[in-house]
Structures are given as structure tokens and as C-alpha cells.
Amino acid sequence: MSTEITPLWEVFIRSRGGLAHRHVGSLHAADATLALQAARDVYTRRGEGLSLWVVPSNAITASDPTDRDMLFEPTASKIYRHPTFYEVPDEVGHM
Amino acid sequence: MYSQGLNQPTEASADSPEQARFQARIDAEDKIEPNDWMPDAYRRTLIRQISQHAHSEIVGMLPEGNWITRAPSLRRKAALLAKVQDEGGHGLYLYAAAETLGVTREELVDQLLSGKAKYSSIFNYPTLSWADIGAIGWLVDGAAIMNQIPLCRCSYGPYARAMIRVCKEESFHQRQGYEIMLTLSRGTEAQKAMAQDALNRWWWPCLMMFGPPDSASQHSDTSMQWKIKRFTNDGLRQKFIDATVPQGHFLGLTFPDPALRQDPETGHWQHGEIDWAEFKTVVAGGGFQATDRLEARRKAHDEGAWVREAALAYAAKRQARKTAA
């Protein structure tokens, strides 16, 4: 078995102009140049995109799934953040 | 290209509160993601299944790669090259999905090369004629698609997402194979005989790709409960046979199963007895091509070692310069 681990990269593709880059998967490569070439071969064989990003996986900081309730519950309880919370008479028309 | 029902039986118990919560999420069709809590047996089952699937894609490049230089036209050669490249890509998506469960790529590759890991028995059969490339695309990829479409809804997020990409690309594989079979079966007598011979040799091994019959398969229950698996081996096999038999008849070919007949009531095609002793021998690496396949993989791995080492050394040197500057 190889003793050295080839670094892991996350791959993002912009599929069309005007859209954001979207995560599509990951791959191993020794450096950024090789990661970009590998991403092109592995993830874009059928016109999937116009632009690629590769990011070292260990550069990503993620939220902990067990903190989910603490982090995101307040967004569910603040219903006044949604437009439908406010009453506008029908006569006023679309707003 | 494909995963096979080779997994060992696993124990599932819903004793702990975590396990109960986990099962409740699965029952609610929630996807499990890498950082979520999961039972050890779920993790182990997935690592085994996804890596076997990845190994199958990688080994699956070999029987077809065998014919790239001998494809009968540039059109066929370009298609076969693209197909084999896809199989390599599928292996890579799947390795990446397995790695999210806490195993390294190096360990996975080592398990394949050391012979510790299994891969689909189908790739231990030889590709003797050009018609085999047609039969593989039509039948082996056809069987793989039957297996893989339900995996797009697997409870483990990274596996399901990898399978969606794989399935999108797989349809071309089956169609190019059927086109080869169609061309041969409309050609000269010798070409038609070649197509028939390929169907004769690949039909039974393809039925075995769905794994042991439900009556003999011990792990289905747990995998079903965890929604790793959605249909039974026999259920998927039946779907494959029902879809494929009329396609074969359209080619004007016959199936090497004298017992094959359509049930007038259900419309299902009933098949004869499958030789499970052969299946066991081939899975265990007996006979056929198993030794060659692993030797080819080891050779490719060993001969590529200097490239991996050089790339890492170059990256380390550049990094050191950057740090020094």
C-alpha cells in the first residue's frame, strides 16, 4: 500500500452562465493543477459545465449535524420573516 | 458498471435511542450524510458494497479494453474508448463516496489488489469475439442499469448522488451494445452466428449478476430495512429478463435456456435453473480470467507508482518554495 496519501479535493462546476458553481463530488490529486485536470476528465465528459473550481477538502469547515436544531430552529419560528405573515387587503392588489 | 449481492449478513438491532432515531430518519426517507450518526454495521455494509461496486467498475474496464485496438471501425472504436473511460469515471465517483465513510483510497485500492475485496463475477469471463462487446453493452450494462436505478434512492446521500451520475451515463453503454448486436444479427451468416454465440455465453452469467436467489440471501432484510437496497435479487432479475427477452427476439436470436417461456397469465418470462455452483466458483476467483484481471490491475498500479510519487514530490517542492518566499 502507498504510504503517502494523495490529497482530497472538492469539485464545483458552473453549469451555465449566470448560475452559481455547484458541488459535484471529490477526487484525489497531488496539487491544484492536477486536481483541475482530473476534475475536467472525471466530472465533465458530457458538456456539464463552463467553469470548474477545485478546493482542498481540508479547507472546508462544516457545521456539525448534531447542532442542527440549535442553528436552524430559529429560522422556522420567525414566521414574520415571510411575506405571507402580513395582511394586505385584496383591494390593494398584488404586492 | 455494477454491484452484486455479495455482502455478508449484518446484524441490525434498534436497541439504543440513536439507532431508533436513525431508523426513524430512514423510514421518513431522510438521507444519511457522512457526518451523521450511523450504526457501525450500516457503515461497514456501505463501505463493502460501495467499494465492491467501485472495484467492479475498475475491473470492468479490462474485458472491453481488450477490444479497443481491434474495434472494426473508427466509430466503434471511439464509442468503446468513451465507454471504457466512463467506467473508470464511475469507479472514481464510487471510491469517493466510499471514502466519505472513513476509509482511504489507498486502503480500498490495496483491498482490490491484494485479492481481499470482491468485484462482480461477470468480469471474470473472457471477451472472445467482437460480438462480446455488443453482448456486454446490451446485457451486462442492461443488468447493471436494473440494479443501479433503485440505488439512486439509496438512504446514504453520497452513494445515491454518485449513482445518479452513473445512471445518466449508463444508457449510452447499453444502446451502443444493442446497436452492435443489431448490426451483427443483420449481417452475414457468420456475423449472426457470432452474435448468437456471444448471447449464449453471456446470458447465464448476466442472470447471476443479480446475486443469489432470495431464498438463499441472508443480508437482504437488513439492507432493505436500511433502504440501501429497494428490491430483492429475484425481483430485479425478473425485471431484467422481462425487458431483455423481447429485445433478443427482435434481433432474431435465441436464448440458451430451453425452459424459457412466457407465463400467459402474468406475462412474465420464466427462466430455467441457474447454475449457482458456477457463480460461487467465479466469485471466489476460480477459473476463467480472475488471475489475469488482478494481474493487469497490479501491473497498472505498480507501473503508475512513479507518476504518483513524482506528482507528490513536485507538489511538496512547490509548497516548500511558497512557504520559504
Side-chain angles (χ1 to χ4, degrees):
Chain A
M1 198 195 316
S2 323
T3 44
E4 249 187 303
I5 305 281
T6 305
L8 187 66
W9 302 75
E10 299 302 321
V11 181
F12 298 80
I13 298 180
R14 183 199 298 285
S15 56
R16 273 186 296 147
L19 295 184
H21 284 75
R22 199 174 161 189
H23 184 244
V24 292
S26 45
L27 52 79
H28 290 272
D31 61 27
T33 310
L34 289 176
L36 214 47
Q37 284 177 10
R40 178 249 186 204
D41 288 342
V42 178
Y43 290 101
T44 66
R45 289 193 300 279
R46 287 176 176 77
E48 283 87 344
L50 308 170
S51 160
L52 278 169
W53 286 353
V54 288
V55 180
S57 303
N58 60 16
I60 291 175
T61 308
S63 67
D64 186 337
T66 55
D67 291 344
R68 192 171 66 181
D69 291 346
M70 179 191 74
L71 287 172
F72 305 115
E73 186 281 330
T75 65
S77 59
K78 291 183 174 57
I79 53 169
Y80 46 85
R81 283 179 170 167
H82 296 278
T84 47
F85 179 75
Y86 301 94
E87 298 274 354
V88 176
D90 286 348
E91 295 87 324
V92 179
H94 178 71
M95 184 180 281
Chain B
M1 190 181 284
Y2 155 133
S3 82
Q4 192 160 42
L6 296 175
N7 293 320
Q8 308 298 309
T10 44
E11 69 295 343
S13 65
D15 293 344
S16 71
E18 285 101 340
Q19 272 182 334
R21 264 201 303 276
F22 172 82
Q23 190 60 47
R25 287 187 63 195
I26 297 219
D27 293 342
E29 296 289 330
D30 219 1
K31 292 279 184 231
I32 307 301
E33 295 296 339
N35 292 331
D36 294 345
W37 187 91
M38 63 186 85
D40 287 342
Y42 179 82
R43 188 183 296 276
R44 279 199 307 273
T45 301
L46 277 170
I47 290 177
R48 197 164 43 225
Q49 177 168 337
I50 301 171
S51 62
Q52 278 173 2
H53 194 161
H55 299 325
S56 300
E57 302 283 352
I58 298 300
V59 176
M61 292 194 280
L62 299 170
E64 292 179 294
N66 189 30
W67 280 90
I68 290 174
T69 55
R70 290 175 284 169
S73 67
L74 187 57
R75 182 177 189 270
R76 295 287 187 221
K77 184 184 287 205
L80 187 56
L81 263 173
K83 179 176 189 295
V84 172
Q85 193 191 6
D86 274 355
E87 311 297 0
H90 296 174
L92 297 179
Y93 306 154
L94 288 162
Y95 280 132
E99 286 168 62
T100 63
L101 292 157
V103 59
T104 65
R105 176 75 56 95
E106 285 76 6
E107 286 173 272
L108 293 172
V109 171
D110 189 57
Q111 285 169 6
L112 173 66
L113 299 183
S114 69
K116 193 179 151 214
K118 298 260 184 288
Y119 56 85
S120 177
S121 58
I122 198 81
F123 304 118
N124 281 344
Y125 290 86
T127 39
L128 303 178
S129 79
W130 170 251
D132 287 16
I133 300 306
I136 288 181
W138 171 40
L139 299 173
V140 177
D141 288 274
I145 291 169
M146 283 294 170
N147 247 312
Q148 287 171 344
I149 285 174
L151 288 174
C152 296
R153 294 190 294 127
C154 163
S155 61
Y156 188 58
Y159 192 25
R161 291 191 287 273
M163 289 318 302
I164 290 170
R165 295 188 64 84
V166 170
C167 286
K168 267 191 196 162
E169 300 181 349
E170 204 76 59
S171 165
F172 130 64
H173 298 180
Q174 192 185 15
R175 290 172 64 110
Q176 67 89 35
Y178 192 73
E179 196 193 88
I180 291 172
M181 293 300 275
L182 191 63
T183 306
L184 290 173
S185 60
R186 302 236 166 115
T188 63
E189 278 308 308
Q191 286 170 325
K192 194 174 172 183
M194 198 196 278
Q196 181 63 60
D197 171 60
L199 174 55
N200 291 348
R201 283 182 291 108
W202 288 95
W203 176 246
W204 289 108
C206 281
L207 297 190
M208 294 176 198
M209 280 177 68
F210 295 92
D214 297 343
S215 53
S217 176
Q218 304 144 299
H219 54 266
S220 274
D221 289 348
T222 320
S223 280
M224 290 265 202
Q225 188 193 326
W226 284 333
K227 297 194 177 160
I228 293 173
K229 203 174 162 154
R230 299 268 177 175
F231 297 98
T232 65
N233 293 352
D234 285 339
L236 288 169
R237 187 166 16 243
Q238 187 62 54
K239 274 174 87 159
F240 171 71
I241 295 173
D242 288 342
T244 309
V245 169
Q247 295 165 356
H249 290 159
F250 182 83
L251 295 173
L253 301 178
T254 57
F255 288 84
D257 178 0
L260 190 71
R261 62 173 197 92
Q262 193 171 23
D263 186 314
E265 277 173 29
T266 62
H268 291 305
W269 285 89
Q270 292 173 332
H271 61 86
E273 199 64 38
I274 295 173
D275 182 357
W276 293 112
E278 176 180 314
F279 173 76
K280 280 189 191 130
T281 311
V282 180
V283 168
F288 306 101
Q289 299 282 294
T291 316
D292 286 5
R293 298 288 185 243
L294 278 188
E295 256 168 33
R297 286 314 312 156
R298 283 191 201 115
K299 183 165 177 280
H301 188 75
D302 292 346
E303 289 178 358
W306 72 271
V307 180
R308 292 190 295 276
E309 283 161 20
L312 282 171
Y314 179 69
K317 188 179 81 178
R318 301 248 308 183
Q319 189 59 43
R321 265 192 210 154
K322 219 167 146 187
T323 321

